[in-house]
């Protein structure tokens, strides 16, 4: 049986200072430290710098002006293109002759050739100006001879005849080229050549001109009959061969 006079345990000891103050107050003149108050959220943005604002407004105006110029230039260019509708020129091979064709066992090829072409300007409102025309004869992808064609101009809806003269004097070719040409000539006396042309062309319409544009033209499957007796060879089929633009 428990002793009723035994003190109860398990409860917190009574507070000797019920009013919450210490029995030993701080010395006179002392103060309690307080944490510094945080600045308001927009305190750092309340500073007004007229010079920064002026520069920002100036940059915005310049940016808007540049965008406006780009939009105006693009709109004008698009309208001009809709009105003029520039079209690339068209080419065709009318004749292809080969003379003095020899291909020795030492892989040296010699010949002279003349290719006549027609360049057509399909534009109704724009003339064309060609500059620095390079022409190359290929057998498959191997170059055999190259030349240049004099520059010329074309009016609207105009056709112009061109002549490209080639010559190869003892030019070295790979054995695969020699075997391919001899193999084709051995079958029916014909050899399949390709012609590629590269030129700078400028579109003109009164005061409106474009910058020079590179024009790449490919004329393929130019089958030339080359007789074995040394006579000149000519384009077979009796028809002109159309070329295509390599865009």
């Amino acid at each position: 049986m428990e002793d009723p006079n035994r003190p109860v345990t398990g409860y917190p000891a009574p507070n000797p200072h019920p009013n919450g103050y210490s029995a030993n107050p701080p010395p006179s003149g002392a103060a309690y430290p307080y944490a510094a108050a945080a600045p308001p959220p927009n305190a750092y943005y309340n500073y007004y710098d007229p010079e920064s604002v002026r520069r920002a407004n100036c940059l915005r105006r310049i940016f808007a002006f540049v965008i406006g110029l780009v939009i105006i230039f693009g709109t004008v260019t698009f309208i001009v293109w809709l009105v003029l509708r520039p079209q690339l020129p068209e080419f065709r091979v009318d004749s292809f002759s080969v003379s003095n064709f020899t291909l020795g066992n030492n892989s040296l090829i010699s010949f002279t050739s003349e290719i006549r072409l027609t360049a057509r300007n399909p534009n109704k409102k724009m003339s064309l100006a060609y500059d620095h025309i390079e022409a190359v004869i290929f057998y498959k992808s191997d170059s055999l001879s190259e030349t240049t064609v004099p520059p010329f101009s074309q009016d609207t809806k105009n056709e112009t005849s061109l002549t490209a003269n080639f010559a190869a004097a003892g030019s070295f070719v790979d054995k695969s080229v020699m075997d391919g040409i001899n193999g084709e000539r051995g079958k029916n006396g014909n050899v399949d050549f390709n012609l590629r042309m590269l030129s700078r062309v400028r579109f003109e319409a009164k005061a409106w001109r474009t910058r020079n544009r590179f024009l790449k033209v490919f004329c393929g499957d130019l089958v030339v009959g080359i007789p074995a007796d040394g006579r000149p060879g000519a384009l077979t089929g009796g028809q002109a061969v159309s070329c295509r633009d390599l865009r």
Side-chain angles (χ1 to χ4, degrees), residues 87-148:
Q87 301 179 56
L88 292 175
E90 302 168 357
F91 288 83
R92 70 173 184 265
V93 175
D94 298 319
S95 66
F96 188 165
S97 62
V98 177
S99 303
N100 303 319
F101 188 89
T102 59
L103 185 59
N105 294 330
N106 51 2
S107 293
L108 297 180
I109 188 172
S110 299
F111 67 89
T112 58
S113 176
E114 180 185 84
I115 299 180
R116 295 184 178 181
L117 307 101
T118 296
R120 178 177 176 269
N121 178 11
N123 295 281
K124 297 179 180 180
K125 300 179 180 180
M126 303 191 71
S127 61
L128 302 178
Y130 301 83
D131 183 26
H132 193 72
I133 307 171
E134 297 180 356
V136 184
I137 292 178
F138 287 85
Y139 176 77
K140 298 187 183 302
S141 60
D142 293 276
S143 173
L144 301 181
S145 180
E146 62 182 64
T147 189
T148 57

Side-chain angles (χ1 to χ4, degrees), residues 14-48:
N15 186 358
H17 309 290
N19 56 5
Y21 293 98
S22 172
N24 299 317
S28 177
Y32 292 100
Y34 291 94
N42 297 326
Y44 297 106
Y45 303 97
N46 292 332
Y47 177 71
Y48 177 76

Side-chain angles (χ1 to χ4, degrees), residues 203-221:
F203 294 79
E204 301 177 352
K206 295 183 179 179
W208 190 80
R209 296 184 179 185
T210 66
R211 63 181 181 180
N212 289 341
R213 174 175 178 175
F214 280 101
L215 178 68
K216 298 179 181 180
V217 179
F218 176 77
C219 311
D221 297 327

Side-chain angles (χ1 to χ4, degrees), residues 139-140 179-191 226:
Y139 176 77
K140 298 187 183 302
D179 294 341
I181 293 177
N182 287 332
E184 290 187 17
R185 291 185 68 187
K187 291 180 181 179
N188 51 17
N190 298 333
V191 180
I226 303 178

